Every structure is written in C-alpha cells, then in structure tokens.
C-alpha cells in the first residue's frame, strides 16, 4: 500500500446533500451505521516496542452493507483519533484522490463500497503514554520494566485503531501482537500458534528481526469497548486446581498475569477459586454457561479502576487483588465485591450489551446487585445485605439528594459525553432499585425474567425496554408506574412516618407515610416499605406495606400499642431517605446500640445520620452517639462504616469547642482500642487517626510506629499505610518524613508512586503550586497517582493553602473531562470543592457556576452534585444547636 499523499477536510469530499459528521459519535451517526452495517470483523496487528511514543498498527475491517452504494450515494463514516493514517485501501483499491477526515472521522467514499464482502485495509499509528491515551505505558520504577495495556471504555477504541466505535456494532476480533523479547501478551482470545487455528498454543513465533509474534483466537462478537490486550514481562500463574471454566469449553484452566515481584503475594487458591465459583453459580442462575472460552485475570500496575470486565481477560488494579500485608476484613469484602462484580459482567455487559451508553445502568446495576448476591451465596459470613447498606447505598443517597442528580436511564446524544454517565447513580442507585424490584416480584419470578432477557439477547444488544418486556412476560411486572418512577424518574423519596397517640397515650390514633422528592420538585414513588414498631424493650415486629403517594394512611397500624420508636425500612429493601420523627429520634439516640439485629441497628444509625445531614439533628450529639457505637461494635466492617459516618462530623459538621471535644474523645477511644489489642480493627483505627488527628500524642505514636519503636497489635503496616503515616508527619511540619520512609522501603515497592502521593501533603505554597500544575500536565504522573494525590493535596487543616486552587480547578474542568478517563472528572471536582466547609468556599463555587454558563449539562450536574455537600456543611455549621 502506498503512502497517502494528503488528508483534506471532509466537507471538500462530501456532496452538498451529505452532512459532515460532527465531533464525537452522535446517536444519529450510530443509528445510521447500525442500519447499514452487518457481519463486522476486525483483524488487528500492533507492533509494540519498548519506550516508543507511538505504536504502528494495521487493521483489516470486513463487513457487509444492507445495500450497495452507487456513485453519489452516502459515504460511510469510520472513527479514528490516533496519531495518523499512513495507508488505506477500500476493497483492494487505493483512493483516487485525497483522504477525507472530519472531527476524528474517516470518510469512506460510497462509490467504492459494495453490498457484500467489503474490506478496508488501513495502516495507522497511535500514541502511547503514561496517561491520557487509549494505550497506556507503565514503567516499573524498581527495574524499569515496561508494561502496556489498552483501556477503551466507554468509547476510546477509535483512539487506538480505526473502527465503528459504538456498543451496538458487535464484531469478531482477530489480533496479532509483536513484542520485544521476554514479553508476554494477553488478549480476549486465547493465544494460538497460527492465526487460522484455535488450538492450544505453542511458544510464540518470532519475526525476522527476533521479536516475538503472538496471535490470538477469534473472539465471539464483542462491542469495541470490550476489546483489550496487555503486554510486558508478566509472570504467569496457572490455577493449581486445573479446572476448566464454565461448561468445560475452555481449553485450559485460568491464568493470572502479574509482575514477578507480586507473585509471592498472589493467593492463587483463593483468587482462582472465587472466580471459578462465581462463574459456576452465575451459569446456573442464568441457565446460560460462561460464553467466552478461557477466563484470565491481568493484574495491571497503575490501572485507573478497580477492575474492567474485558471478555476473557478481566483487568484489575494490581493492589485491588494482591495485598502487601495481611488484608483487613474491610479489604477482603471490597475484593470479594469487586471480583464478583467483574465476573457478573460476563453476562450483563459482555453476553448482553446495552444498545447505547444511556443504559449503562443495565450492566453496572446488575453487576453490583449480582456481586452481592454472590457474597450472600458464596461467603455468607460476610453478611451481604448489611454490607450493601453500608457500602452501596450511601454513595447513591449522597448524589440522588442533590440538584445535580439524574435518572438511572440518562439521555445521551453523543458518546463524547459517555464518561459523565458513570457514577453513583448507575453503580449504586441502580442495584438498590433492582433489589427492591426483586423483592417486589419475588426472587424466582425476577430470575425467570432475567433468564429470558439473557436468552433473547445473547451476543446482542438490548435496552431497558427489552428488560421490562422480559420481566413482564416471565415475572408478572405490570403497568408502567414502576419504570416511570425508578428508571425514568429523577431523585429519590424522602420518607417519614407521621403518627399520633390516642387520648390515653397508649395506642396509635393515626399513622401516615409521607414522602417528597429529596432533590427537587414534589414527586411520589411506588414503595415496598417495611415498618418496624419498636417497644421499650427494643423488640418489635416489622410489617410490609405498598406505599404510592405523597401521603398514605396505614389503617392497619391504628390501635396498636404506642411504640417507643418507629423505624422505616429496617430490612433496607426499599430505596430512599428514611428519616425518623422526633420521638423516635430521641429514643434511638439513647438505645440504638441495644438493638440486637445488626441490620436493624445499621438502618437506625443510617436514618439518624440522614437527619443530621438534613440539618434536623444535632451533629455534636450524633458524634457522641457514633463514638459510643464504636465502643460497643464487635463487627469489624461495621466499625469501619461507623468511622466513615464520624468523619464528616469531625471534619465538616462541627467546629470550635464542640469539634475539639469530639476529636479528643475519638482519639482516646481509638488508641484505647489499639492498646487493648483489638487486632481486627487496629489498622482501620490507625488509618483514621493518621488522617484526622494532628495531636502531639497521635503524631508521636505515628512516628514511633514508623521507627519500629511501637507496633500495632497483630498488624503489619504495608507500604501505602506507612507512606500515609509519613504524609501525616509531613503535613505537621516534619519535612524529612517521606524521605526517611523511602529510604527504608523495599525496592520492589513502587517508591516513586508512594513518595509522589505522600509528598502532596506538604504544608507550603510552593509544593501546592507544583503539584497543581503537574495534575494537569499531559506528560505528568499516571492518572491513578494523581487521583490518589488529590486526597493528600487537601490534607485536613490546610484549607487556607488549597482554597486558592478551588477556582482554578473548576476553570480546568472541561480540560479534565476531555483528557482524563471515566471517574476522574467527578473525583477532581469533589476533591477541590469538598476540601472546604466555609461560606467563602461556597461563594467561590457559586461564582464559578455563574461564570461558566457554557459548561455542558453533564459538567454542571457534577459540580452541583459535589456542591451539595458543601452547602449542607455550611448550613449545619451555621445552625445554633
């Protein structure tokens, strides 16, 4: 193929009747291509070279069109935003003129296409860097070894190779990778010795110049965002159980690919077993076996997310699965939830893919829900639904009660904005709503509906209407009320019980359930709501009612003995903000720790916490209650959850003498717990103290622990905890703390990462300025490092140093959205906005919202979501309690 002489703007090549494609991938463009293209296949090749800033690749794209395109007919738009195109042929022919491009699209002339057997051959180049690219490089600071990995979600495949980058154009992928000597390569398909065969591989072939050539088996039809590969000097661990995956169609057991320095910490039996057991359970539950042949796991250093569900090869952040020291209970639960979430995606997301990213909740909501079902089934000792209350719902409530919230189905006109769909609404609200639906329909009817949905759309695409249709057919879902409220509706119900006593005071005279929208205009939701009447002895019976309206009278409860307290949603099945009345609040604050059922106790604490968040209950009194709850809590994971509720009380909702008293009491209790030898909570207590306490006592003890003069009971500090402790000392003025820690850190630890993150805590203006500039640099540190450093940059007590960067951070938000991956932009906004609790900071954010009238709707929503917490902090602090 010859070098293309010139690229010209598309408008010079298109007829007057054809509209030039705009930026991004619009819904209209996607629909046009879906209507025309079928039998799509990509055969890709990449030449991966150590240290190169660009990767050279070739693509052969084969497809059929629904009708032949004659002269003058519409061209076909291909997506590509890589470094450049060097060669292109269409059905064996070179272009007669110049190549037309517009807004990261390649325009294929319609007259060169046929109805069957189209073949597009392209030679291209794509950029590789440490951050901000579809192909990312990670350089191991310990030995300078280089690792490359692709990450294309939600719509970055066209930044790696030319393609039709939309989720509803599934394609078969063939792949070859050329790598340096000593590298290993992993992809969706299994490695094969010959591209035309799918047998178990022999060692990779070599190119003429001595490089390695890896070829991979064809994949089943996949959306572009699920295509993936990784390469580097990985160590390989094979499942010692030697059990094939799924229905036995896999040619081999699972493999794990990881850095050799992490091999000794890889718990092979545990981690392979968790994946195998999850695959087996889900295959039975869906009545559909695992569909992607082999299943490998790749532990990627510097990976920006906890995991990514690539079909056949799940990518994980290395430290999400491999711990440098014995993990806490909380870390084990987090790992279980992550693994089960990613495995569940092999059915919801991979086997059945949403048609467009406005239905992202279909895959993420079900993956989270099924992840906790797997914990319930496979690890019952973890108390799955208590963890669901503690880990999933708070994030949803924090967003869904703000002016920036959205429905779980989010209208999306262009995939350029797809990153902004990600967040707590699809990851946390959606599974909570689905759990309520499962309870409403019954577990078996609900499962029957999902089985039908998967069977009807396997290796295809679907949207929420298809899900509802399957549920109606198989499970008895009726009408449109539920879908209109929970899928298409915005916000969440704020629910209260209003009840009165009779003249004797001994019986209930009236009982109403009242609900309103927690975020905006008045609205009511259909609820399946449990009501618990608690007696003075702390006991009671829960009853379930169907509630749908702003005010619903519950005649069944009239005449009952007057309770000491009323608790709504004690089993945590319903979704919403459930607040307690004054009588119940007063009783619960005195007796909540005496409630026997841990789920009921957690639901009561959560309701009280929501009352404080709404500025209805005294934060100081609530802080004292949480400290007492910590003192009595035997469950380590609940202990961590209570610490999480205590943190905003200390850092944002109280000030002055009230805050100082709570901080002193908290510090005393936590060191008491540590000194008493509570191994199961010692590390979590230490982490909390490191971040929240700058007292001389705590700083001295932290220094002694790092110097080896004092130990935590039964606990060894890992590198991240040690550097976090060093950051606390640095923030307190010990300029050499981080350097000292680096000098005594083993060389297999990513010292550069740890020093970078900890160093952001330095309490001087020069350091803050240097870090802020680096946060935005395209050639700066890996994105995962920056995201972690946002927390240390905003170390407690440094508000005066960081406040000047609030406006600058908001001014840069459009740049951040364009150049960073999903999750980063919301984290960026939240870090800078919610490091503060003052009216001055709130005024700055409000000024930015007014100044940036041109912000896209998704950016404005994210800023409003974060600002809500600042608004609440100012309001709570401003009240006289």
């Amino acid at each position: 193929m010859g070098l293309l002489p010139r690229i010209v703007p598309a408008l010079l090549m298109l007829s007057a009747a054809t509209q030039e494609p705009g930026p991004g991938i619009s819904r209209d463009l996607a629909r046009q291509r879906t209507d025309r293209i079928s039998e799509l296949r990509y055969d890709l090749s990449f030449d991966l070279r150590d240290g190169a800033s660009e990767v050279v690749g070739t693509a052969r794209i084969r497809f059929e069109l629904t009708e032949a395109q004659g002269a003058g007919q519409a061209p076909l738009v291909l997506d590509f935003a890589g470094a450049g195109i060097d060669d292109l042929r269409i059905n064996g022919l070179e272009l007669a003129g110049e190549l037309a491009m517009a807004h990261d699209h390649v325009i294929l002339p319609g007259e060169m296409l046929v109805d069957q057997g189209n073949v597009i051959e392209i030679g291209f180049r794509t950029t590789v860097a440490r951050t901000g690219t579809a192909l990312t490089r990670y350089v191991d600071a310990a030995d300078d070894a280089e690792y490359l990995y692709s990450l294309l979600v939600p719509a970055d495949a066209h930044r790696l190779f030319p393609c039709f980058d939309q989720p509803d154009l599934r394609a078969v992928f063939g792949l070859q990778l050329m790598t340096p000597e000593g590298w290993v390569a992993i992809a969706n398909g299994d490695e094969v010795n010959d591209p035309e065969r799918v047998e178990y591989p022999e060692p990779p072939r070599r190119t003429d110049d001595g490089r390695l050539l890896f070829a991979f088996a064809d994949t089943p039809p996949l959306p572009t965002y699920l295509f993936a590969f990784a390469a580097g000097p990985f160590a390989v661990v094979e499942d010692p159980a030697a059990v094939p995956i799924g229905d036995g169609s896999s040619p081999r057991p699972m493999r794990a690919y990881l850095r050799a320095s992490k091999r000794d910490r890889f718990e092979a039996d545990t981690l392979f077993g968790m994946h195998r057991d999850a695959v087996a359970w889900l295959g039975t539950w869906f009545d559909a076996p695992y569909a992607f042949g082999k299943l490998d796991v790749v532990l990627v250093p510097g990976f920006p997310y906890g995991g990514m569900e690539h079909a056949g090869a799940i990518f994980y952040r290395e430290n999400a699965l491999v711990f440098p020291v014995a993990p806490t209970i909380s870390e084990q639960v987090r790992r279980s939830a992550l693994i089960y979430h990613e495995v569940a995606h092999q059915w919801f997301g991979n086997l059945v893919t949403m048609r467009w990213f406005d239905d992202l909740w279909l895959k993420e909501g079900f993956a989270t829900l099924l992840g906790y079902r797997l914990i319930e089934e496979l690890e019952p000792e973890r108390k799955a639904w208590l963890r669901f209350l503690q880990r999933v719902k708070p994030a949803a409530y924090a967003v869904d009660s703000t002016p920036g919230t959205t429905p779980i189905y989010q209208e999306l006109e262009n995939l350029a904005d797809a990153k902004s769909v990600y967040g707590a609404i699809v990851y946390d609200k959606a599974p909570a709503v689905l759990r309520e639906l499962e309870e409403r329909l019954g577990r078996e009817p609900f499962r029957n509906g999902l089985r039908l949905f998967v069977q009807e759309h396997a290796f295809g695409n679907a949207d929420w209407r298809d899900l509802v249709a399957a549920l109606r057919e198989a499970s008895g879902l009726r009408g449109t009320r539920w879908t209109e409220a929970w899928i298409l509706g915005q916000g969440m119900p704020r629910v209260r019980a209003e009840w009165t006593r009779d003249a004797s005071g001994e019986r209930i005279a009236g009982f109403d359930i009242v609900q309103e929208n927690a975020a905006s205009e008045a609205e009511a939701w259909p609820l399946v709501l449990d009501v618990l009447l608690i007696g003075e002895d702390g006991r009671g019976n829960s009853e379930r009612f169907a509630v749908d309206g702003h005010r619903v009278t519950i005649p069944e409860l009239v005449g009952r003995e007057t309770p000491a307290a009323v608790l709504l949603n004690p089993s945590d099945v319903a979704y919403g903000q459930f607040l307690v009345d004054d009588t119940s609040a007063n009783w619960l604050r005195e007796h909540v720790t005496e409630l026997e059922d841990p789920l009921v106790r957690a639901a009561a604490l959560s309701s009280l916490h929501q009352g404080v968040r709404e500025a209805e209950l005294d934060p100081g009194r609530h802080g004292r209650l949480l400290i007492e709850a910590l003192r009595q809590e035997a469950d380590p994971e609940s202990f961590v959850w209570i610490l999480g509720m205590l943190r905003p009380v200390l850092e944002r909702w109280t000030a002055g003498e009230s805050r100082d008293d709570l901080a002193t009491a908290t510090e005393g209790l936590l060191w008491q717990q540590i000194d008493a030898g509570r191994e199961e909570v010692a590390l979590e207590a230490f982490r909390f103290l490191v971040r929240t306490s700058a007292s001389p006592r705590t700083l001295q003890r932290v220094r002694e622990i790092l110097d080896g003069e004092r130990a935590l009971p039964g606990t060894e500090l890992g590198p991240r905890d040690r550097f976090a402790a060093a950051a606390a000392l640095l923030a307190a003025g010990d300029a050499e703390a981080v350097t000292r820690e680096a000098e005594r850190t083993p060389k297999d630890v990513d010292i550069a990462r740890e020093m970078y993150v900890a160093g952001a805590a330095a309490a001087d203006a020069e350091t803050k300025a240097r870090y802020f500039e680096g946060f935005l640099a395209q050639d700066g540190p890996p994105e995962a490092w920056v995201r972690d450093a946002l927390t240390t940059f905003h170390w407690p007590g440094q508000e005066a140093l960081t406040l000047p960067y609030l406006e600058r951070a908001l001014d840069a938000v459009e740049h951040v959205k364009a150049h960073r991956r999903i999750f980063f932009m919301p984290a960026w906004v939240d870090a800078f906005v919610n490091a503060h609790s003052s009216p001055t900071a709130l005024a700055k954010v409000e000024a930015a919202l007014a100044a940036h009238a041109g912000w896209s709707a998704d950016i404005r929503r994210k800023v409003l979501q974060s600002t809500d917490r600042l608004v609440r902090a100012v309001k709570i602090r401003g009240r006289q309690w």
Side-chain angles (χ1 to χ4, degrees), residues 416-439:
D417 297 324
K419 294 177 184 178
S420 297
V421 178
Y422 288 78
I425 295 301
V426 297
Y427 278 90
D428 302 298
K429 178 180 180 177
V433 166
L434 290 169
R435 185 181 179 222
E436 191 270 357
L437 179 62
E438 181 181 41
E439 195 76 14

Side-chain angles (χ1 to χ4, degrees), residues 566-842:
V566 173
L567 183 62
L568 302 180
N569 199 33
S571 56
D572 197 49
V573 168
Y575 174 82
Q577 187 181 51
F578 299 95
L579 299 172
V580 292
D581 60 273
D582 290 343
T583 298
S584 300
N586 288 331
W587 189 90
L588 286 170
R589 284 185 291 196
E590 295 296 329
H591 301 284
V592 65
T593 58
E594 301 167 12
L595 298 175
E596 293 182 2
D597 187 322
L599 186 58
V600 172
R601 190 165 63 245
L605 275 174
S606 178
S607 290
L608 291 170
H609 193 71
Q610 289 298 320
V612 179
R613 190 169 170 270
E614 291 299 317
E616 295 180 0
L617 299 177
D618 180 355
R621 184 174 178 183
H622 185 60
R624 293 190 293 275
L625 169 62
L626 294 175
I627 292 169
E628 182 58 32
L630 283 172
R631 189 186 313 277
Q632 299 189 36
E633 185 55 66
D635 174 44
E637 182 71 352
S638 294
F639 188 94
V640 174
W641 173 65
I642 296 169
L643 280 177
M645 289 192 291
L646 184 57
R647 186 162 173 176
V649 175
L650 291 174
E651 293 187 348
R652 311 202 68 190
W653 296 347
T654 58
E657 185 178 345
S658 175
R659 191 269 175 195
D660 292 343
D661 290 345
L662 288 173
T664 300
T666 302
E667 179 188 33
L669 172 66
L670 294 182
W671 281 120
Q672 180 186 58
Q673 298 279 307
I674 292 171
D675 293 343
R678 284 200 66 186
E679 297 181 9
E680 70 277 11
V681 300
L683 181 55
E684 299 292 357
F686 178 77
R687 288 169 174 168
F688 188 87
L689 287 164
V690 160
R691 180 69 185 181
T692 63
S693 178
S695 75
R697 176 192 186 190
T698 289
L699 293 174
Q700 180 60 31
R701 287 190 168 207
V702 167
R703 188 175 293 107
E704 290 170 357
I705 288 171
L706 291 183
D707 291 344
E709 299 170 5
R710 179 186 292 268
L712 292 178
T715 302
E716 179 186 359
L717 288 183
R720 293 208 168 176
D721 284 313
R722 294 188 64 87
F723 275 94
L729 298 178
L730 175 65
D734 185 347
E736 302 302 318
V738 174
T739 302
R740 283 199 309 272
E741 191 55 40
E743 290 172 350
R744 55 194 172 201
T745 299
K747 299 307 179 186
D748 62 342
V749 172
D750 195 341
I751 298 176
R753 182 265 175 207
E754 304 302 342
M755 292 188 70
Y756 174 79
V757 174
D764 65 87
E766 182 180 350
T767 297
K768 299 302 183 190
R770 175 166 47 84
Y771 267 84
F772 186 84
E773 295 302 321
F775 289 161
L776 296 172
Q778 283 303 102
D779 59 349
E783 185 174 303
W785 293 18
V786 174
R787 186 170 175 180
D788 290 342
L790 291 175
T791 300
T792 43
F793 181 87
H794 293 102
W795 199 267
Q798 297 181 0
E799 290 83 359
L801 279 171
T802 59
L803 185 60
Y805 296 98
L806 175 55
E807 293 172 275
R808 294 176 61 185
L810 293 175
D811 289 342
V813 70
E814 289 174 309
H815 171 86
V816 169
K817 174 189 171 182
H819 294 92
R820 299 295 187 180
R821 299 190 184 277
I822 58 176
F823 305 121
F824 188 89
M825 188 264 283
W828 173 268
V829 174
D830 207 52
F832 283 93
V833 170
N834 284 303
H836 305 281
S837 304
S838 68
T840 301
L842 179 57

Side-chain angles (χ1 to χ4, degrees), residues 12 45 58 209 214 240 244 304 349 363 427 512 517 574 743 843 864 874:
L12 300 179
S45 175
T58 63
D209 60 355
F214 296 86
K363 77 182 187 78
Y427 278 90
D512 290 352
N517 192 316
E743 290 172 350
L864 287 172
V874 171

Side-chain angles (χ1 to χ4, degrees), residues 487-508:
I487 297 178
L488 304 178
Q490 178 173 305
M492 70 175 182
R494 179 186 290 131
V495 189
R496 306 173 189 268
E498 293 185 359
W499 55 283
T500 59
R501 298 176 174 86
D502 65 9
S504 70
E506 297 179 356
R507 299 284 170 181
I508 295 176

Side-chain angles (χ1 to χ4, degrees), residues 339-356:
I339 288 173
Y340 298 149
H341 179 101
E342 301 305 335
V343 175
H345 268 313
Q346 305 306 310
W347 283 262
F348 261 100
N350 297 8
L351 185 58
V352 180
T353 304
M354 70 271 157
R355 189 166 285 119
W356 193 245

